[in-house]
Amino acid sequence: MGNSESQPIRNVDKRTARRDNALQYNQAIWNYRADVLGPLQPPDLAEAELAGDAASGSSASVRVCIRRRPIFSHEVRAGEFDVLSCSAGRSIVVHDCRLRPDCRNLIINHTTFEFDRVFDEAMSSDTVYAAEVAPLVRQAAATSTPGTVLMYGQTGSGKTFTMFALQQRVAADLFAALDVAAGDAVSASYVEVGSTGVRDLLHGGASCQLLTDASGEVQPVPVVEVRVQGSAGLQALFDYGTGVRATAATGVHDASSRSHAIFRLSVQRASAAAGDAGSLTLVDLAGSEQRIDSDQHDARRAREGAAINASLLALKDSIVTLATDGQFRSTAGGRHPLTQLLRASFEPGSRTTVLATVSPSSKDTEHTLNTLRHACVMHGQQQQGAQPGVQGATGGQLGPVYIRGGQTETQHVGEIDVAAARKRLMQEEARRAGDGQGVF
């Protein structure tokens, strides 16, 4: 149906189009970086801590930070290229490489997002911890203000890698700020929220129910809460629970997390009144997935992926209603277990840091844009216009737009080299014929 002479330009998917025209796209991206962007400044740790302290008096203090991982060598060998640029320590640009509908003209949508902090691939986990997590650890050791670190991003973007590094530093720093011998006490619980419900990771994955306690907070019951005596014991709990957590091979990652993990630390200081405890919650959300990355999944994996996406939608929806109606609830997901367990992290007087991880690989462009747009919602960034057909509790339409975010500038890159495309197509057809696959 057609041949290489009459159809040198074909309607291909976005990933293939990016790989086929990587040279032109990559050159345009490097020119944009040189002409428009400046070098990423190292984070001002003192400024970051002051910003968090100043925000603690607001109704719900939420800081949103982005961490991009490096592009891997196997991705480069596969023809992928880097589509992320960081600038000024607070901005990240996604270079969305596309074809116009004529499948001939190449364009790039440069979309810029701004957040409280952006960590590029050169910044270590120590830098991330010192700037965003260490203040919450000191807060848990000294006050009763709830603190939460929430990891969010696509499968394979480095969420669990970052969380593991942060856990090690939390275990060391928390006990350095306490005096266990004088009576300071630390207890920990570790649960996961998956497609089959809530499980206690410190009790071999035993099932839990969600019940409301006397203070109105939702708690998993029954759940093992372990008294911890030191940093080594705390790290051992991290490792044990992570080993029990549900993981599986997917189209993106060999050991993808298939559940949301919630690790809660309670700190009772000897000098404080009974019940006046500090707390720190570490949340590693399961990675969001798109259909193109899960088309080889069996029925079980497909159900898990659908449950993960539904729970992430419920969380995002709850944050939207919090910003518009003052209530942390989901209009899309109802009383989802994930939103019930995380409600305290978004209530007045709490402090939460969202760390969204993103991949720079060109094949993950849509994933990255989706992650950053959801991060905009968590950051409270609103745009003009309402989401059609969705109303808040007061009757008005919800203000934030779900699928948009950032400021976009479109650049025309050039046209596809028709002669080169014809040559490449002929080579592909010759290869298929040699492999016995046939040519249509």
Side-chain angles (χ1 to χ4, degrees), residues 212-236:
T212 304
D213 62 18
S215 64
E217 291 189 14
V218 175
Q219 306 286 356
V221 178
V223 67
V224 173
E225 190 165 356
V226 180
R227 180 79 173 265
V228 188
Q229 300 297 327
S231 58
L234 182 55
Q235 185 61 52

Side-chain angles (χ1 to χ4, degrees), residues 257-273:
S257 301
R258 310 306 294 168
S259 65
H260 311 294
I262 303 175
F263 191 98
R264 281 184 171 164
L265 288 166
S266 178
V267 181
Q268 179 64 60
R269 298 169 306 281
S271 60

